[in-house]
Amino acid sequence: MAGPAGRLDAVLVCGGKWHDFDYARLRLLELLGEHPQVRTTVHQDYDCVAALEKADLLVTYTCDVRPRAAERAALARFVERGGRWLALHGTNAVIEAPAPGGPRVFTTPRLLGGLAEVLGSQFVAHPPIEPYEVQVTRPGHPLVAGIEPFTVTDELYVCELHGELEVLLHAEYTGPCRGFAEGDTAALDDAPRPVLYLKRHGLGEVCCFTLGHCRGRYDVQDLGVDDTGRVDRGPWETPEFVTVLRRWQWRAM
């Protein structure tokens, strides 16, 4: 619920592995800053239980950030009491990097516990980053109304799904996801891959948007690449992606 004079408290959690979190954090703060009634606290992980207890909005852009049991419970309570959570890109991802000297295979252990049910999904694998088409599943929904199918360069997430989801955008992919332990079997069915969906929990709602990949030159040094030699902005330069982010903010308020 809004505070005096309509003030809304937002929590932004932005951090983790293998992405340009500085860039994503700046862009998300710019978008939140378009609303003068929103006051935002910024965190790199989920050690922000006190802030969550009084927050109205939660925006997360993480990769392999693993909330502890008390933090998972606080996230579930936030949504259950009516909070609105925008869970971007790798928020639903727990990823173990390959062991040094071993096969270059990433594993995705199911360590989110009951939080995967709140989020509605957990990341399993993705094919190589390349352009793919995003389809509009529910063209009449306010978050995507007027948006036509569009092409984006990003990681196409193949996820394990949980509970009843209201899918708004999806992509089609059937095939291998090389480099992931479950990559040979994760995407063999022909089911649509949710890209944007809503998931109710208690009085609140999670909006999960799997787009959002961005990477700078120095973001995978722990994987043995000192300098990628390139900067990837992916969907952040795709108008439809930014349009949905803006619309979510208006909807959540």
Side-chain angles (χ1 to χ4, degrees):
M1 298 294 292
R7 168 176 165 161
L8 292 166
D9 289 304
V11 169
L12 171 62
V13 180
C14 187
K17 297 178 180 176
W18 310 318
H19 293 78
D20 188 347
F21 295 102
D22 289 345
Y23 176 78
R25 186 182 303 112
L26 177 61
R27 291 295 303 274
L28 291 168
L29 284 171
E30 287 174 343
L31 290 167
L32 288 165
E34 293 175 359
H35 304 275
Q37 73 272 36
V38 175
R39 316 309 296 166
T40 304
T41 61
V42 181
H43 310 265
Q44 294 192 69
D45 55 35
Y46 295 103
D47 187 14
C48 54
V49 171
L52 280 174
E53 294 296 339
K54 61 181 183 181
D56 304 291
L57 311 174
L58 171 63
V59 179
T60 58
Y61 181 95
T62 65
C63 179
D64 196 41
V65 175
R66 310 176 185 189
R68 298 188 293 266
E71 295 162 357
R72 295 196 298 269
L75 289 162
R77 285 196 306 272
F78 164 80
V79 184
E80 194 168 49
R81 66 173 172 80
R84 296 295 187 266
W85 182 359
L86 176 62
L88 292 168
H89 200 45
T91 293
N92 68 350
V94 176
I95 306 174
E96 294 280 0
R104 191 175 173 80
V105 175
F106 293 81
T107 59
T108 51
R110 310 305 199 266
L111 299 179
L112 291 177
L115 191 60
E117 296 283 345
V118 177
L119 281 169
S121 67
Q122 182 158 353
F123 170 80
V124 175
H126 67 72
I129 299 172
E130 60 184 8
Y132 63 90
E133 187 172 64
V134 176
Q135 302 286 334
V136 182
T137 319
R138 297 224 19 216
H141 193 279
L143 280 178
V144 296
I147 292 178
E148 299 293 332
F150 61 95
T151 299
V152 67
T153 300
D154 205 327
E155 296 167 335
L156 195 165
Y157 271 22
V158 176
C159 297
E160 183 178 82
L161 305 180
H162 297 276
E164 185 176 345
L165 312 179
E166 184 180 5
V167 180
L168 307 181
L169 298 174
H170 72 275
E172 303 284 350
Y173 180 75
T174 303
C177 299
R178 303 300 186 203
F180 289 91
E182 299 173 59
D184 288 338
T185 58
L188 292 184
D189 61 67
D190 59 358
R193 312 296 167 192
V195 171
L196 174 71
Y197 67 78
L198 304 175
K199 173 71 159 53
R200 299 291 303 181
H201 181 72
L203 300 176
E205 182 181 78
V206 176
C207 177
C208 184
F209 202 1
T210 63
L211 299 183
H213 180 75
C214 61
R215 180 175 293 157
R217 292 170 53 187
Y218 312 112
D219 294 324
V220 290
Q221 291 185 345
D222 63 315
L223 298 178
V225 182
D226 291 341
D227 184 350
T228 66
R230 59 182 293 175
V231 172
D232 297 322
R233 295 298 183 227
W236 296 92
E237 296 177 340
T238 302
E240 291 85 354
F241 174 67
V242 179
T243 293
V244 171
L245 297 185
R246 282 200 169 97
R247 288 181 179 180
W248 176 84
Q249 291 183 155
W250 284 109
R251 173 184 168 88
M253 296 174 194

